[in-house]
Amino acid sequence: DIQMTQSPSSLSASVGDRVTITCRASQGLGNNLAWYQQRPGTVPKLLIYAASTLQSGVPSRFSGSGSGTVFTLTISSLQPEDVATYYCQKYNSAPFTFGPGTKVDIK
Amino acid sequence: QVQLVESGGGVVQPGRSLRLSCTTSGFTFSRYGMHWVRQPPGKGLEWVALIWYDGTNKYYADSVKGRFTISRDSPKNTLYLQMNSLTAEDTAVYYCARDASFSGDRFDLWGLGTLVTVSS
């Protein structure tokens, strides 16, 4: 099975900072990669799919890039409401494995 | 209103069984694949199972294969997860999630989850 890793596992940044999270797959996924945001105490929410397509209603400060085995999620200007854990996920085929998550805090 | 509502969670002894339900509304249930995802307390997300829109194909995580069964009842707009031979490692919040297509894609809608605690 394809393994998913994320780096860093956690980060702390200031409001307005640019934040980048990296997701790596052990085998190529094409662009079948999604990003989810899970705020504390809430349900996961789809942010980005097809590696770079923004889900409807998601603020434009979020963006995704990459293909194959390396993908990135970028928050161009971190806001207080972005405090959350972010997960990448492969969906090219079962199993639909999630990455271990990256916890984002405000410094 | 488009929503997914899980039910059936609770405290169960190791080795026993439990059936979760996910009642859906606001969309054409029979057109979408459906998933179960779980999250142990304080930990990350783990995909559990997928059932195609028409129920013809089912896929499972290795950790539950042979113990869990996913099913659906389209006239009732309801998804199920039958969980047998439960162990402490199955303790988690269980979410149902809608697949964006009929057979395996991103998860575009999530329920609020139901907590399953396996403990003696």
Side-chain angles (χ1 to χ4, degrees):
Chain A
D1 291 346
I2 296 174
Q3 306 303 312
M4 305 297 293
T5 60
Q6 287 182 234
S7 60
S9 57
S10 65
L11 66 90
S12 186
S14 299
V15 172
D17 281 356
R18 184 181 183 88
V19 168
T20 299
I21 299 168
T22 300
C23 174
R24 289 182 169 84
S26 60
Q27 298 177 39
L29 304 178
N31 70 341
N32 295 298
L33 191 284
W35 290 96
Y36 299 85
Q37 175 194 63
Q38 187 175 29
R39 294 182 173 125
T42 71
V43 173
K45 170 188 169 183
L46 176 64
L47 290 180
I48 288 169
Y49 62 95
S52 61
T53 303
L54 210 61
Q55 174 72 351
S56 176
V58 173
S60 59
R61 64 181 179 273
F62 291 92
S63 64
S65 64
S67 67
T69 61
V70 182
F71 303 87
T72 60
L73 171 69
T74 300
I75 308 173
S76 61
S77 177
L78 188 68
Q79 300 302 303
E81 60 267 33
D82 300 335
V83 169
T85 300
Y86 294 84
Y87 297 92
C88 62
Q89 182 210 24
K90 62 170 284 288
Y91 59 85
N92 58 323
S93 62
F96 298 83
T97 309
F98 290 90
T102 295
K103 187 174 182 180
V104 175
D105 282 329
I106 299 291
K107 194 181 295 182
Chain B
Q1 184 181 0
V2 179
Q3 63 177 357
L4 310 174
V5 179
E6 301 91 340
S7 60
V11 180
V12 60
Q13 292 179 330
R16 303 299 291 267
S17 300
L18 204 61
R19 188 177 83 156
L20 305 183
S21 300
C22 170
T23 303
T24 74
S25 58
F27 64 97
T28 306
F29 179 67
S30 61
R31 293 184 182 176
Y32 292 88
M34 296 293 298
H35 299 262
W36 286 100
V37 178
R38 68 184 181 182
Q39 186 169 35
K43 297 188 177 181
L45 301 170
E46 179 187 15
W47 172 78
V48 172
L50 159 68
I51 185 167
W52 277 23
Y53 72 109
D54 59 357
T56 56
N57 285 288
K58 305 175 184 181
Y59 302 88
Y60 298 93
D62 286 346
S63 57
V64 307
K65 203 172 294 182
R67 299 188 300 123
F68 289 12
T69 301
I70 189 171
S71 62
R72 63 192 298 156
D73 186 333
S74 285
K76 294 184 178 180
N77 295 322
T78 302
L79 174 73
Y80 301 101
L81 185 68
Q82 177 66 42
M83 305 185 295
N84 299 331
S85 303
L86 287 162
T87 73
E89 286 67 44
D90 297 315
T91 294
V93 173
Y94 284 74
Y95 299 102
C96 61
R98 188 180 74 174
D99 193 281
S101 77
F102 58 89
S103 65
D105 207 308
R106 73 254 187 207
F107 302 180
D108 66 351
L109 182 65
W110 295 65
L112 294 180
T114 187
L115 176 62
V116 172
T117 302
V118 183
S119 174
S120 54

